């Protein structure tokens, strides 16, 4: 009688980043087709993916900047097809006034929910909203609701908040309502606009589609 043998483990298959890239693009196109087929309620979720991608780019750059890789801003800018100054201004480091919180730069894509909660709370503008971020001193532009740090944290924490519910309970009721979108953004905007002139050009907030906040008014 032969002894029972454990099945041999399959060799781990390495997946190239190019394959991940192709897979994500297929998924996005399929998602868009499903929404286009009459699912108007899902349009909001589809549009929010731009902020999610923008956030993951920030964290990926933070990881590339960290040891042991320590890529320079010139190397990163070259891959993004922008100038060194534009890349540094967009993604920031410890030498720029709009830098991401140090805890995000150090953790990168491995950031925990507990850290996200702590950072979000410390950089939350409050209610009524202040004209500058209490966590980093960033001065909000007209129509902005977050400093660069919380613009990065918000979509990740909103998506991952159920992974560690006990960590999310540390947010105040105002912060939690703001995170999940049950507050009235117009109220917050009205409070903040009092700190800005009512006319004149301003730079819009960076987005995935216009990541450097170019002024479209000219």
């Amino acid at each position: 009688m032969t002894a029972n043998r454990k099945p041999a483990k399959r060799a781990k298959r390495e997946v190239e980043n190019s394959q991940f890239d192709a897979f994500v693009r297929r998924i996005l196109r399929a998602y868009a087709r499903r929404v286009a087929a009459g699912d108007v309620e899902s349009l909001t979720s589809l549009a929010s993916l731009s902020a999610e991608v923008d956030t993951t780019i920030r964290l990926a750059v933070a990881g590339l900047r960290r040891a042991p890789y320590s890529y320079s801003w010139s190397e990163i800018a070259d891959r993004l097809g922008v100038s060194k100054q534009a890349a540094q201004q967009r993604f920031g480091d410890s030498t720029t006034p709009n830098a991401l919180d140090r805890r995000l730069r150090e953790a990168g894509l491995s950031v925990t929910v507990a850290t996200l909660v702590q950072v979000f709370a410390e950089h939350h503008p409050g209610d009524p909203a202040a004209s500058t971020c209490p966590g980093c001193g960033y001065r909000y532009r007209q129509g902005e609701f977050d400093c660069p740090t919380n613009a990065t944290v918000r979509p990740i924490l909103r998506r991952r908040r159920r992974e560690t519910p006990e960590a999310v309970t540390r947010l105040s009721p105002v912060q939690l309502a703001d995170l999940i979108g049950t507050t009235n953004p117009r109220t917050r905007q009205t409070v903040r606009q009092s700190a800005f002139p009512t006319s004149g050009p301003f730079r819009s907030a960076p987005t995935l589609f216009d990541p450097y906040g170019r002024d479209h008014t000219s």
Side-chain angles (χ1 to χ4, degrees):
M1 184 175 179
T2 58
N4 291 333
R5 293 183 180 178
K6 292 183 179 179
K9 290 184 179 180
R10 292 184 179 180
K12 187 176 180 180
R13 183 186 171 204
E14 294 294 333
V15 179
E16 298 293 335
N17 281 347
S18 59
Q19 293 174 281
F20 274 117
D21 178 81
F23 173 72
V24 170
R25 290 174 188 273
R26 287 197 302 271
I27 290 294
L28 286 174
R29 287 194 294 267
Y31 191 6
R33 287 194 296 270
R34 291 173 70 94
V35 174
D39 187 5
V40 68
E41 296 301 328
S42 293
L43 185 60
T44 301
S45 296
L46 177 62
S48 69
L49 290 177
S50 64
E52 186 82 12
V53 173
D54 187 57
T55 295
T56 55
I57 292 172
R58 280 177 173 268
L59 295 179
V61 168
L64 291 170
R65 290 280 298 156
R66 247 185 6 251
Y69 313 110
S70 303
Y71 283 98
S72 69
W73 282 113
S74 295
E75 291 172 302
I76 289 172
D78 182 60
R79 272 66 177 184
L80 294 174
V82 299
S83 69
K84 172 184 173 182
Q85 291 75 16
Q88 192 168 4
Q89 180 183 358
R90 175 70 183 94
F91 299 107
D93 66 6
S94 58
T95 66
T96 62
N98 296 346
L100 289 180
D101 188 284
R102 173 184 54 81
R103 289 163 290 187
L104 298 181
R105 298 197 308 271
E106 291 177 353
L109 294 172
S110 62
V111 65
T112 65
V113 173
T115 296
L116 291 171
V117 167
Q118 185 177 5
V119 172
F120 183 81
E122 292 177 9
H123 289 262
H124 190 269
D127 187 14
S131 60
T132 59
C133 173
C136 62
Y138 176 82
R139 187 171 184 81
Y140 304 111
R141 302 184 184 100
Q142 186 176 6
E144 280 187 328
F145 299 105
D146 283 318
C147 66
T149 287
N150 261 11
T152 299
V153 168
R154 182 183 293 276
I156 304 178
L157 182 55
R158 183 185 290 133
R159 176 173 55 83
R160 297 181 56 194
R161 67 184 187 276
R162 293 184 179 87
E163 291 179 15
T164 316
E166 61 274 16
V168 180
T169 61
R170 298 170 194 164
L171 294 174
S172 72
V174 168
Q175 292 165 352
L176 181 59
D178 183 24
L179 174 68
I180 62 178
T182 58
T183 54
N184 183 351
R186 279 186 286 241
T187 302
R188 298 173 60 204
Q189 186 174 17
T190 300
V191 173
R192 290 201 185 158
Q193 284 180 338
S194 64
F196 299 94
T198 56
S199 62
F202 62 92
R203 292 171 62 85
S204 59
T207 67
L208 173 67
F209 305 106
D210 188 6
Y212 305 105
R214 290 182 289 255
D215 185 356
H216 294 290
T217 58
S218 57

